[in-house]
Amino acid sequence: MIDLQLIGIGTGNPDHLTRAAIKAMNAADLIILPRKGDAKSDLLNLRRAICADVLIGTTKVVEFDLPERDVAAPYCDAVDRWHDAIAAVWAEQIARHLPNGGRLALLVWGDPSLYDSTLRIADRLRADGLPLTVTVVPGITSLQALTAAHAIPLNDLAAPVLITTGRRLRESGWPDAVDTLAVMLDGTCAFETLDPAGVSIWWGAYLSMSYEALATGPLADIAAHIVSERARLRAAHGWIMDIYLLRRTLIRV
């Protein structure tokens, strides 16, 4: 039996680690860390630093090469095959390092519940016949880090919030019946496709990290700056993680 611990580690600041996360890491027999190539070595180095800082026992830490998604294939099909490949790599690491079972931990950026696929990949292992229990240790999400960085509430008074992706925003536009959108996984600045009238944006990249970048203002005034700043930061660091909140204050007639 494998006891899989999916541990949320926040968004890049080691201080985001909760006491529950530290306890779960030290209780693990094995922690596996994904290597995502040189361009995203910051993400691996952060996980290495967290392990070095908080592990005090005999927990073993190993690294593995994360398979790459086929960016040329249709998105959903490519992601499905990508998750299959990741599940196969996890199974290989388990067979190699925990052949008799034990407690395995993965350090999940943000929180496993919000636009993260580790839970779905774990389901693949279970469906393939691996005896598996799953425990989630919650972490600070990028959405929480964004609203904290800008010192704003997520929602207007008694109003709903929709969490969506840049791809969905670009394809379908602003959804009906909601005036606040939290947009994740947007690699193409989908906010440029919107009518900016009456819309404000709160944007953040590398949230809570030492090189955090923030911008806010009316979308009409600041969209071009965010697009150029995002491109500059991506070129400088080789990768980028960003998120933004859009709030519409149009007066409906």
Side-chain angles (χ1 to χ4, degrees), residues 217-239:
L219 185 59
D221 296 342
I222 203 168
H225 166 73
I226 293 174
V227 171
S228 63
E229 181 70 354
R230 188 182 191 280
R232 183 189 69 81
L233 290 167
R234 185 183 181 94
H237 297 287
W239 65 281

Side-chain angles (χ1 to χ4, degrees), residues 153-248:
L154 175 60
N155 60 292
D156 273 339
L157 182 63
V161 175
L162 182 75
I163 304 172
T164 188
T165 65
R167 182 184 302 271
R168 184 62 61 87
L169 183 63
R170 180 175 291 276
E171 291 176 352
S172 304
W174 196 293
D176 294 333
V178 63
D179 289 326
T180 299
L181 303 178
V183 184
M184 306 180 69
L185 303 177
D186 184 7
T188 59
C189 298
F191 53 78
E192 290 186 289
T193 66
L194 301 173
D195 178 356
V199 177
S200 296
I201 186 170
W202 292 262
W203 172 84
Y206 314 106
L207 288 163
S208 302
M209 301 183 76
S210 60
Y211 36 89
E212 175 183 87
L214 302 172
T216 185
L219 185 59
D221 296 342
I222 203 168
H225 166 73
I226 293 174
V227 171
S228 63
E229 181 70 354
R230 188 182 191 280
R232 183 189 69 81
L233 290 167
R234 185 183 181 94
H237 297 287
W239 65 281
I240 192 166
M241 284 189 182
D242 62 338
I243 181 175
Y244 54 91
L245 192 74
L246 298 169
R247 187 162 286 143
R248 186 169 57 182

Side-chain angles (χ1 to χ4, degrees), residues 25-106:
M25 288 176 64
N26 278 287
D29 300 304
L30 174 69
I31 296 174
I32 57 175
L33 307 181
R35 289 189 295 256
K36 300 183 179 183
D38 292 341
K40 293 186 176 180
S41 60
D42 288 355
L43 305 181
L44 175 60
N45 289 337
L46 175 72
R47 288 179 168 93
R48 286 170 173 164
I50 287 173
C51 290
D53 187 45
V54 307
L55 291 178
I56 57 175
T58 60
T59 300
K60 184 177 182 180
V61 179
V62 300
E63 299 176 7
F64 68 96
D65 292 319
L66 191 73
E68 294 186 2
R69 176 170 63 86
D70 182 0
V71 296
Y75 180 75
C76 288
D77 290 342
V79 169
D80 196 50
R81 292 194 296 271
W82 183 43
H83 289 171
D84 285 341
I86 295 172
V89 173
W90 286 10
E92 178 184 314
Q93 296 299 317
I94 290 168
R96 181 180 303 170
H97 299 289
L98 294 175
N100 299 315
R103 183 168 292 178
L104 169 66
L106 283 93

